[in-house]
């Protein structure tokens, strides 16, 4: 039986991703910042589901997940779904948002990379809000540089936080949305990871998904899509066949420009 790890699976889109994968016959590690809510989510799911406490902001929490997975099995699917969209915009919001939505996803990816099985799939739940046109021309040029690597992108993301802290982010060409910048980073790093993984004999595919505007605590009540509709493309990417694409952003199961 294949194993999937879904972050932020206690509610919203993550819960529906866990449901879809469990229905597909995959053993799902349903992770949440609170063990109680992970257990509650598992009670509402059919199939082979395991609740696990995971805060993507914490090295210790991620290490504990790795220990549990290494003891039991390898990992076939990682869905980096956990994310935040905080109100307002200041240095604290910028730091926390980049930490969770960008650094947090990579913390989990890096930790699980040695455990990935042959044919593993990585899905990063990004957003159409992460449109790189939101960056000024010079930033956009740096982001689009084909030579940009993980280290360069990490520094790029830290520069955003530093520029907000220094009160010069607009002057430097950053948008006043930490959420947008975090998702620009997540989609761009998906390309970089896919390129790195192309040299890995395990044939791992890594893609990003935009779920659309979804009725969740984050998306609000007026959003047109249900959480299950939002989960469709991430689930589809998690189950891609070996000949599938890698390094792209998908919406409604189709690659999209961003
Ligand atoms: P949601 O209902 O607010 O759920 C967010 C999930 O992320 C919750 O399970 C939350 O856990 C978890 N989370 C937040 N910080 C975490 C951390 N540090 N460690 C572990 N888990 C953490 O949001 P959603 O709408 O389902 O969003 C899921 C993903 O889709 C996000 O990445 C979001 O950016 C993306 N997205 C959503 C929309 C939309 O319209 N809703 C559109 C585009 C993209 P707690 O319950 O503990 O807070």
């Amino acid at each position: 039986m294949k194993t999937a790890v879904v972050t932020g699976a206690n509610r919203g889109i993550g819960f529906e991703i866990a449901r879809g994968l469990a229905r597909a016959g995959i053993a799902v590690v349903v992770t949440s910042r609170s063990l109680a809510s992970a257990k509650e989510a598992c009670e509402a799911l059919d199939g082979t589901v395991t609740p696990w406490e995971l805060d993507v902001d914490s090295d210790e929490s991620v290490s504990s997940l790795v220990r549990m997975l290494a003891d039991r099995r390898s990992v076939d699917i990682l869905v980096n779904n956990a994310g935040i969209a905080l109100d307002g915009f200041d240095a604290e919001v910028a730091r926390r948002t980049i930490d969770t939505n960008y650094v947090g996803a990579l913390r989990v990816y890096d930790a699980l990379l040695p455990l990935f099985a042959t044919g593993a799939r990585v899905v990063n739940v990004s957003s159409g809000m992460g449109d790189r046109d939101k960056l000024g021309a010079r930033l956009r040029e740096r982001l689009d540089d084909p030579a940009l690597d993980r280290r360069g992108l990490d520094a790029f993301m830290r520069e955003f936080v530093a520029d907000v802290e220094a009160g010069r982010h607009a002057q430097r060409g950053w948008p006043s949305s930490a959420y947008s910048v975090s998702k620009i980073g997540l989609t761009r790093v998906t390309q970089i990871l896919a390129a790195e993984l192309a040299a890995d004999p395990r044939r791992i595919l890594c893609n990003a998904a935009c779920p659309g505007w979804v009725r969740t605590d984050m998306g609000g009540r007026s959003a047109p899509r249900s959480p299950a509709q939002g989960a469709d493309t991430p689930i589809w990417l998690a189950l891609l066949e070996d000949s599938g694409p890698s390094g792209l952003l998908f919406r409604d199961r189709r690659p999209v420009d961003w």
Side-chain angles (χ1 to χ4, degrees):
M1 195 179 218
K2 288 188 174 178
T3 297
V5 173
V6 183
T7 68
N10 53 307
R11 60 188 168 103
I13 297 166
F15 176 77
E16 290 298 333
I17 293 171
R19 194 206 298 272
L21 293 176
R23 278 188 181 150
I26 289 159
V28 183
V29 182
V30 174
T31 76
S32 167
R33 281 193 281 200
S34 130
L35 183 60
S37 64
K39 284 182 175 164
E40 209 174 298
C42 284
E43 276 160 24
L45 293 169
D46 295 325
T48 307
V49 289
T50 305
W52 196 261
E53 186 176 304
L54 176 69
D55 180 342
V56 304
D57 292 346
S58 155
D59 285 330
E60 204 184 312
S61 179
V62 173
S63 297
S64 153
L65 170 74
V66 169
R67 282 195 297 277
M68 180 275 281
L69 290 166
D71 274 356
R72 296 195 196 180
R73 40 173 110 98
S74 58
V75 175
D76 300 280
I77 294 167
L78 165 63
V79 184
N80 275 315
N81 164 79
I84 53 172
L86 302 171
D87 291 334
F89 182 73
D90 59 21
E92 173 69 4
V93 167
R95 188 188 58 73
R96 285 179 56 201
T97 307
I98 300 304
D99 272 359
T100 300
N101 295 3
Y102 176 79
V103 180
L106 288 167
R107 177 178 288 113
V108 180
Y109 170 85
D110 287 337
L112 295 196
L113 182 58
L115 299 180
F116 286 149
T118 295
R121 303 287 178 256
V122 178
V123 182
N124 292 324
V125 181
S126 194
S127 169
M129 299 279 280
D131 179 347
R132 53 187 157 187
D133 279 345
K134 291 188 168 148
L135 300 175
R138 287 171 66 180
L139 291 173
R140 165 94 195 237
E141 207 173 296
R142 285 171 56 199
L143 186 86
D144 289 346
D145 182 348
L148 185 71
D149 59 8
R150 250 302 281 283
R151 188 193 282 224
L153 182 57
D154 290 352
F156 186 81
M157 301 304 280
R158 283 196 301 272
E159 192 178 307
F160 165 66
V161 177
D163 284 345
V164 177
E165 275 164 1
R168 58 174 181 235
H169 78 280
Q171 182 194 329
R172 294 284 171 100
W174 300 104
S176 295
S177 166
Y179 182 78
S180 289
V181 175
S182 73
K183 296 298 188 179
I184 288 172
L186 189 60
T187 306
R188 183 67 179 93
V189 84
T190 301
Q191 295 178 324
I192 293 172
L193 300 181
E196 287 176 2
L197 289 168
D200 190 302
R202 290 175 291 176
R203 304 193 320 271
I204 299 167
L205 304 179
C206 175
N207 288 288
C210 166
W213 185 21
V214 180
R215 280 188 304 282
T216 61
D217 293 337
M218 183 186 291
R221 286 192 203 145
S222 337
R225 294 187 175 201
S226 68
Q229 287 171 315
D232 177 74
T233 295
I235 294 167
W236 174 74
L237 287 170
L239 301 175
L240 273 184
E241 51 198 46
D242 281 349
S243 57
S246 196
L248 301 178
L249 172 69
F250 288 83
R251 184 178 165 150
D252 296 332
R253 302 189 180 196
R254 289 196 191 90
V256 285
D257 281 340
W258 58 284

